[in-house]
Amino acid sequence: MCPKHKQNNTHTHPFHFKTTLQQQKQQYPFKKKIEMFPLNTYQGRLKSPSSDSTNGCTVISPLVAAHHLSSPGSGIPDMTIESIIDNIAPPILSSVRSKLGLRQDALIVPSDVHDYLVDCKILHQNKFVGVCGGNILDDAHLNELLNMLQSGKCLPPNAPAIPTTNEKVAAALFFHEHVISILKLTLSTRECWYDVVDSLPTRTSGASASQCCSRTRCKGQTSLELYLKKYACSKFSDSNFTYMERNGWDDGMCDFDPRVFQAFVWANPPPS
């Protein structure tokens, strides 16, 4: 269930939204501000029972967030993400599924995983900022997430974000039955970059094309906003676009709406 929002009858037509997104990309130095880096593994690459991370994004994503918050420096290296996917997540996946009575390749509800990780002291309740969600194509809904990532605080809707200095922030974003991680990096200049970690395989180009997961670096909040909108559009099917063309956003129907997202945000508390 997504949080309630004030109804807005002037919703953006999905097809017009794609055109607007293309115009934004042309006006913004997209390639210089958003870079995708392939990693050397992906969820489900290893098939042995003790190493299988198939459908494990609901565990992988919060684990990536937890390691980001506890790591020294501004972020985590690629090898840490790869180890989470191949080594750390599989036994946790098996334990959570067994506890919930699920088959070993079943999808898991994100909140069930978070409860388990808190009980195991992998995630810490005092670092939990809050949950937000709604229509990922609605600027007001998406800005709630962007403001939480920027400030590390749960702010009222439409409130201006309060920039942090060096506290780390991380989120697990649930959209279209998949979860990605968003990691906030604060540079020495106090500029904020964001790494989006997606454990699903994509095929790289070139002579040595292969499948891999990815870390996408968004250099600034505007870059992250553009990337998340582009990511959302890439997930919509023809039937999704037909639904969105015929139906405006309705909080009461959000569980059936292809635009719905939910994000869980954690942050390191500021030093006392």
Side-chain angles (χ1 to χ4, degrees):
M1 179 67 67
C2 66
K4 296 295 182 184
H5 298 89
K6 183 178 179 179
Q7 290 295 98
N8 180 6
N9 293 325
T10 59
H11 64 282
T12 303
H13 190 293
F15 295 99
H16 293 168
F17 178 84
K18 289 184 72 177
T19 302
T20 301
L21 182 60
Q22 290 297 326
Q23 293 171 344
Q24 288 177 321
K25 286 169 64 178
Q26 292 171 3
Q27 296 168 2
Y28 190 72
F30 192 76
K31 291 184 178 179
K32 295 180 180 178
K33 293 290 186 177
I34 302 176
E35 297 180 285
M36 194 276 282
F37 303 98
L39 304 181
N40 290 322
T41 192
Y42 55 87
Q43 64 161 289
R45 181 179 69 89
L46 304 178
K47 297 301 183 183
S48 65
S50 62
S51 302
D52 190 356
S53 59
T54 300
N55 290 332
C57 59
T58 52
V59 167
I60 293 168
S61 181
L63 283 177
V64 169
H67 279 73
H68 173 69
L69 295 178
S70 62
S71 68
S74 61
I76 56 176
D78 292 348
M79 66 179 65
T80 298
I81 299 172
E82 292 160 357
S83 179
I84 289 170
I85 294 171
D86 288 344
N87 304 312
I88 301 173
I92 295 176
L93 274 166
S94 181
S95 296
V96 174
R97 285 167 174 154
S98 295
K99 180 179 180 180
L100 298 175
L102 301 174
R103 67 179 190 275
Q104 285 306 299
D105 62 348
L107 292 167
I108 311 173
V109 175
S111 57
D112 289 336
V113 174
H114 300 160
D115 291 343
Y116 181 91
L117 295 179
V118 169
D119 290 343
C120 295
K121 302 189 184 305
I122 296 172
L123 284 174
H124 301 280
Q125 194 61 40
N126 69 323
K127 295 185 178 183
F128 183 63
V129 174
V131 60
C132 62
N135 176 0
I136 200 166
L137 301 186
D138 187 304
D139 287 344
H141 297 186
L142 187 58
N143 281 340
E144 288 186 49
L145 170 60
L146 298 175
N147 286 345
M148 289 171 75
L149 284 165
Q150 182 178 336
S151 68
K153 302 178 188 298
C154 190
L155 300 169
N158 301 318
I162 305 170
T164 56
T165 52
N166 58 4
E167 290 79 22
K168 292 181 180 178
V169 186
L173 172 65
F174 181 53
F175 181 71
H176 271 237
E177 298 187 341
H178 181 54
V179 188
I180 58 177
S181 308
I182 306 174
L183 313 177
K184 178 188 171 185
L185 318 174
T186 304
L187 310 183
S188 59
T189 60
R190 296 191 178 181
E191 181 184 3
C192 295
W193 290 1
Y194 301 87
D195 280 358
V196 180
V197 178
D198 188 349
S199 60
L200 279 180
T202 56
R203 184 162 294 278
T204 59
S205 58
S208 57
S210 62
Q211 285 192 323
C212 61
C213 67
S214 63
R215 177 206 291 258
T216 300
R217 178 152 294 170
C218 302
K219 299 177 182 179
Q221 190 182 80
T222 301
S223 301
L224 177 63
E225 179 182 2
L226 281 172
Y227 177 77
L228 291 177
K229 290 176 179 178
K230 174 179 176 289
Y231 172 82
C233 286
S234 73
K235 298 295 182 181
F236 294 138
S237 64
D238 289 343
S239 61
N240 291 157
F241 279 112
T242 299
Y243 177 92
M244 292 186 290
E245 183 181 19
R246 295 175 178 174
N247 299 277
W249 176 261
D250 181 349
D251 280 348
M253 296 293 293
C254 68
D255 289 340
F256 307 99
D257 195 302
R259 292 163 287 202
V260 68
F261 79 97
Q262 190 174 46
F264 301 82
V265 183
W266 298 268
N268 283 340
S272 55

